[in-house]
Amino acid sequence: MRKCTLSLHYPTIVLIASLFVCQTAAIASDDPIKKLLVETPATSITTDAAASTTNWSEAAFWQMQDGRPVDDSWQFVDGEVRLLKPQGGNGSLLSPILPSHFDLSFQWKIGAKTNSGLKYRVRQFDGKWLGLEYQIMDEPSPLESPNVGSTASIYELEAPSLNKPLNPVGQWNEARIVAVGPRLEHYLNGQLVATATIGGPNWEAKMARSKFYGRDGFGVATDGDRIMLTDHGGEIAFKNFKFTVLAAPPASSTQTISPQLANGMRNSWADQNSIVLWTRTTRNAEMVVDGPQFETLSSEDVSRLSKSTNEQELLNSQLPPGKILDQMEGACPGAPGEVRLTYFPESNRKSSLSTDWKVTHAGEDYSVQWKLEGLKPGTKYATIVETRPIGSQELTAVRRGGFQTAPALDAIVDLKFCMTTCHDYIRRDDGMKGHKIYPAMSAIDPNFVVHAGDIEYYDKPYPWSWTIELMRFRWSRIFALPHNREFYANRTTYFMKDDHDTLKNDCWAGQSYGAVNFEQGVKLFEEQFPSRAPRYSTVAWSKDVQIWLLEGRDYRSPNTMPDGPQKTILGHTQKAWLFETLRESKATFKLVFSPTPIVGPDRNNKKDNHANETFFHEGEELRRLFSELGNVIVFCGDRHWQYASVDSQTGLWEFGCGPGSEEHELGWKEGDVRPIHRFLRVQGGFLSGELQHVAPDNTPQLTLRHHSVGGDELSKFTFPTR
């Protein structure tokens, strides 16, 4: 049998200029690293000159994290590197730049209560030196359960086996780390005790639960990586470093397996102790971006088809010949699977809770919802959604998001919020990324966001959504856009609905649109968004701010009904609840979010809201009550222009946030400023609010601003007004 030998002379680093090929019969098939050495072609490897000539047991090899020479907290004697004066994190040592694919062995010995380790593939993330870590701890032995923070773990990510051969404090142990491409192996005293593979859903699930979440590329082999000897408290000694450079493995292609999570997750109805979350399992990880476009229909065809109930005709009339809906640009078809939600306070990852696995079905468009209860007020939570094929144990996709609960009712805190309305896929303004407002709103970092409805437009082309299938297509498409998906996965949101995302323009109960009736449209919205019954609510966001979210479609009278005391948009039950809760509220600022205007002004030809003559009676009732209560401010969606108005009769303020893109402004003439207006801009953007407590007496102050789609401030109004 032919043998391959390589002599490692301690204490120098061994650098292999080219890998030699041995007979495969000489290498055990159950050793993946040895197998890699055989199967990988010879390759040239270069490294930092200092690393190839310097003794790891000499101070000159290392530096402090800030680049200074090693200080006297470390001692280098008798071939050992000893930490004698622990600094609790500030005394860690950095190596020169080293190759990222390697086999490293070393010996270590610790004192009592020591927390240390050796980090590898170390580089800076947000100004901090971070990397994978071979953890070294003074710990009880044996452990009762796996622990990702115990000795020989891949720290935070993979626990070592419970039967690891660990020598006690004061005795030498031998560690070995093999890192080749995505494969990681940790050995302790000759035994393989922890393994992991970087990349893929299982790794993503571990990262999502770890303190390293959000560090893109963490652990991935990269030019510029280093080794670190860590100081987290306690004495430790290292010796006999042996570092062998290995060849990088060839890149492997990964196949996407269903189900995936292309629509991410979204939430709504957060209060102090609860929230509802939503997700959907999909066939692919992303939408179709290179598919064909829908057919353009004549106005005559649109008029005729909108009255048809033939679902196949309504679909086929818009598809190019020979194409199916799943092939079209923006398609994000669903797929069956199992999903699970894990959540925990961001400041306490150890207290995570996971739901049972749920199976998704075509009947609900593969969507799932969870209502979480028993949450803590004023707390930021992380959420992790995982999915797998039905009956399988292997994850196929993982996404992490987050939300925050409303503060305690008596809390005196500063906060920020944003409001938007009027979106659709066709009139987005940032290509296949989505809408520009989402990065702009993220920069404000709001505590919550209100989407005031018209999230999509069933009654607009490409495609005209005359069937449930086409309506679902729209929802999966717009929330597969990266900007939109990521924003709503990570923000506390209140989703309201209006006419275009219920059925059609200016709709009410009893109407139909193509093959879909009003009741089906209401049910579909509850399927596609976090649901609640009834779909109106009030939430206190501190001692000083309380919000009301109104439902403007489900209870309304027909627009054609003569105006009077019985004609309503809110319905008598919702209106009674609104008046009662407003009167009971002790909040300094009472913020009422309405899908449609209450003050306006609106165009003379409109007949759908409280700013119109057709609902004048209820509009006057609302405006009078709001003004009598004081500190009530109305925020409305629906309108495709930005404005601030003051009702001339009652002094009630109303703010329109404007449409969500610059492609979507319409309906008002720029420059047509009425006496009621305090601000007018017929362009896209969003609205923000900021509550601050002003010195010297901590007086609450609310500032409202209109913004462009890029986030530029366009207006500023401060309440109380002076």
Side-chain angles (χ1 to χ4, degrees):
M1 180 181 293
R2 183 179 178 184
K3 295 183 178 180
C4 299
T5 60
L6 178 64
S7 177
L8 300 180
H9 299 288
Y10 167 78
T12 59
I13 303 171
V14 178
L15 296 174
I16 304 175
S18 63
L19 292 176
F20 46 91
V21 179
C22 306
Q23 296 294 329
T24 58
I27 297 179
S29 61
D30 60 349
D31 189 330
I33 301 304
K34 290 182 179 179
K35 189 170 184 288
L36 176 69
L37 289 171
V38 172
E39 296 178 347
T40 302
T43 181
S44 176
I45 299 174
T46 61
T47 186
D48 186 277
S52 65
T53 60
T54 306
N55 188 332
W56 282 37
S57 296
E58 294 179 354
F61 180 80
W62 303 96
Q63 65 182 35
M64 306 303 288
Q65 294 179 75
D66 59 5
R68 292 181 295 112
V70 179
D71 62 28
D72 62 1
S73 60
W74 293 84
Q75 188 179 70
F76 298 79
V77 293
D78 300 329
E80 297 180 16
V81 181
R82 301 172 181 169
L83 175 62
L84 300 180
K85 300 177 182 178
Q87 301 177 43
N90 296 322
S92 300
L93 298 185
L94 277 176
S95 76
I97 292 172
L98 294 170
S100 299
H101 310 279
F102 59 84
D103 185 333
L104 169 64
S105 63
F106 58 95
Q107 291 177 280
W108 57 269
K109 178 173 64 175
I110 59 173
K113 300 181 180 180
T114 290
N115 178 357
S116 186
L118 184 144
K119 294 185 180 182
Y120 54 100
R121 294 185 179 173
V122 172
R123 57 186 180 275
Q124 285 196 315
F125 293 85
D126 300 323
K128 298 180 179 180
W129 293 99
L130 299 174
L132 299 161
E133 183 171 10
Y134 187 109
Q135 176 75 356
I136 299 172
M137 288 282 290
D138 175 12
E139 63 187 45
S141 182
L143 294 176
E144 296 182 357
S145 60
N147 186 333
V148 294
S150 66
T151 295
S153 65
I154 304 174
Y155 176 67
E156 277 280 298
L157 300 166
E158 193 67 52
S161 54
L162 290 176
N163 64 345
K164 63 188 180 186
L166 175 63
N167 295 330
V169 167
Q171 295 185 20
W172 287 99
N173 288 272
E174 183 172 345
R176 181 185 174 207
I177 302 167
V178 181
V180 182
R183 175 72 174 178
L184 308 175
E185 296 184 351
H186 284 192
Y187 294 79
L188 178 62
N189 294 317
Q191 179 176 316
L192 178 63
V193 296
T195 64
T197 299
I198 297 172
N202 289 324
W203 176 261
E204 292 170 7
K206 293 179 175 69
M207 284 291 293
R209 290 166 167 81
S210 79
K211 65 170 63 175
F212 306 121
Y213 173 75
R215 269 79 180 207
D216 291 341
F218 178 86
V220 176
T222 306
D223 292 342
D225 287 347
R226 301 170 185 261
I227 300 288
M228 175 185 282
L229 305 183
T230 67
D231 165 18
H232 295 305
E235 297 181 355
I236 186 169
F238 300 89
K239 68 178 182 179
N240 290 347
F241 292 99
K242 299 177 183 179
F243 186 90
T244 302
V245 179
L246 303 178
S252 60
S253 59
T254 57
Q255 181 180 3
T256 300
I257 302 173
S258 295
Q260 295 290 315
L261 295 165
N263 291 135
M265 68 185 93
R266 44 191 180 265
N267 65 71
S268 198
W269 308 115
D271 56 23
Q272 281 70 28
N273 308 111
S274 67
I275 197 169
V276 182
L277 285 95
W278 177 102
T279 195
R280 175 177 181 262
T281 53
T282 58
R283 185 185 307 167
N284 305 310
E286 300 291 344
M287 67 161 69
V288 175
V289 297
D290 55 358
Q293 305 295 313
F294 288 95
E295 297 285 279
T296 299
L297 302 180
S298 68
S299 58
E300 292 81 7
D301 284 339
V302 171
S303 178
R304 174 180 60 83
L305 290 167
S306 66
K307 301 177 181 66
S308 171
T309 58
N310 185 327
E311 294 189 16
Q312 202 59 50
E313 178 189 24
L314 295 172
L315 173 62
N316 291 343
S317 64
Q318 302 184 76
L319 295 176
K323 300 298 181 181
I324 63 173
L325 189 60
D326 289 353
Q327 298 172 327
M328 303 300 290
E329 180 190 290
C332 189
E338 296 179 359
V339 288
R340 176 176 68 177
L341 174 70
T342 298
Y343 59 100
F344 52 86
E346 286 187 357
S347 60
N348 187 7
R349 291 174 290 109
K350 305 300 183 183
S351 65
S352 67
L353 296 172
S354 295
T355 66
D356 294 334
W357 289 92
K358 284 188 175 184
V359 176
T360 64
H361 302 280
E364 291 83 35
D365 195 31
Y366 309 101
S367 64
V368 165
Q369 301 192 21
W370 299 273
K371 183 174 183 181
L372 306 183
E373 298 181 290
L375 304 176
K376 298 178 180 179
T379 302
K380 290 186 176 182
Y381 282 84
T383 54
I384 302 168
V385 173
E386 301 163 297
T387 186
R388 65 189 187 189
I390 297 173
S392 172
Q393 300 299 308
E394 191 69 21
L395 298 178
T396 52
V398 177
R399 288 195 181 272
R400 176 165 157 162
F403 64 86
Q404 57 185 296
T405 51
L409 298 177
D410 59 353
I412 300 175
V413 295
D414 293 350
L415 61 87
K416 292 180 283 188
F417 65 87
C418 289
M419 179 188 179
T420 184
T421 190
C422 298
H423 288 50
D424 65 6
Y425 176 86
I426 296 302
R427 287 173 285 193
R428 67 194 187 279
D429 54 5
D430 204 8
M432 296 308 293
K433 296 178 181 178
H435 290 73
K436 293 178 181 178
I437 65 168
Y438 291 118
M441 288 195 293
S442 291
I444 291 174
D445 193 23
N447 298 83
F448 67 89
V449 179
V450 176
H451 198 309
D454 289 344
I455 308 165
E456 253 292 358
Y457 284 68
Y458 294 151
D459 54 350
K460 296 298 178 184
Y462 313 117
W464 300 92
S465 297
W466 293 310
T467 70
I468 294 293
E469 182 183 24
L470 289 168
M471 289 176 173
R472 286 171 168 167
F473 177 91
R474 278 187 177 270
W475 292 125
S476 64
R477 179 176 65 174
I478 195 169
F479 284 104
L481 291 165
H483 283 341
N484 307 34
R485 176 180 62 205
E486 297 308 314
F487 182 84
Y488 288 116
N490 291 281
R491 300 292 168 187
T492 297
T493 309
Y494 299 97
F495 284 105
M496 305 168 74
K497 78 172 189 291
D498 201 9
D499 49 352
H500 297 284
D501 38 27
T502 302
L503 192 66
K504 62 178 181 178
N505 187 47
D506 294 356
C507 59
W508 60 83
Q511 294 185 313
S512 294
Y513 185 58
V516 185
N517 62 42
F518 184 91
E519 290 70 26
Q520 289 174 311
V522 170
K523 182 179 179 181
L524 181 63
F525 195 92
E526 294 294 317
E527 170 194 275
Q528 294 293 322
F529 290 89
S531 62
R532 184 184 189 278
R535 203 171 180 90
Y536 52 82
S537 181
T538 181
V539 182
W541 266 86
S542 72
K543 179 178 180 294
D544 295 303
V545 169
Q546 186 169 345
I547 66 173
W548 281 259
L549 306 156
L550 305 185
E551 169 53 52
R553 286 293 141 189
D554 293 358
Y555 314 112
R556 65 167 51 222
S557 306
N559 290 358
T560 53
M561 176 180 173
D563 193 26
Q566 298 306 310
K567 189 173 184 180
T568 181
I569 289 177
L570 301 180
H572 301 297
T573 300
Q574 179 180 194
K575 189 162 56 175
W577 160 84
L578 174 63
F579 288 2
E580 179 181 2
T581 53
L582 279 168
R583 290 188 180 104
E584 291 174 346
S585 174
K586 301 296 192 295
T588 306
F589 300 106
K590 304 174 181 69
L591 313 183
V592 176
F593 291 87
S594 170
T596 52
I598 294 175
V599 174
D602 198 8
R603 293 164 288 174
N604 294 333
N605 63 336
K606 293 296 290 182
K607 298 176 171 56
D608 192 51
N609 60 63
H610 291 114
N612 304 147
E613 291 296 324
T614 49
F615 286 95
F616 181 81
H617 187 278
E618 187 173 69
E620 278 290 276
E621 186 180 10
L622 294 174
R623 291 186 287 270
R624 282 197 307 271
L625 175 75
F626 292 169
S627 62
E628 289 169 3
L629 291 173
N631 284 340
V632 175
I633 304 173
V634 178
F635 300 84
C636 92
D638 191 43
R639 304 297 79 188
H640 294 253
W641 59 93
Q642 297 180 309
Y643 69 88
S645 296
V646 180
D647 181 55
S648 59
Q649 300 299 314
T650 63
L652 178 66
W653 281 81
E654 179 173 89
F655 288 82
C657 59
S661 87
E662 294 287 14
E663 307 299 322
H664 215 158
E665 65 268 11
L666 54 90
W668 195 271
K669 183 179 180 181
E670 188 71 72
D672 184 10
V673 180
R674 310 284 176 87
I676 193 173
H677 286 124
R678 298 297 181 270
F679 174 79
L680 175 66
R681 177 177 178 266
V682 188
Q683 294 186 56
F686 63 95
L687 185 79
S688 75
E690 182 176 15
L691 176 72
Q692 295 176 300
H693 292 82
V694 182
D697 53 358
N698 218 28
T699 301
Q701 177 178 285
L702 179 66
T703 302
L704 304 175
R705 299 176 174 92
H706 289 94
H707 299 265
S708 69
V709 294
D712 295 334
E713 181 180 316
L714 304 168
S715 75
K716 181 177 179 180
F717 298 88
T718 301
F719 296 87
T721 57
R722 294 179 177 84

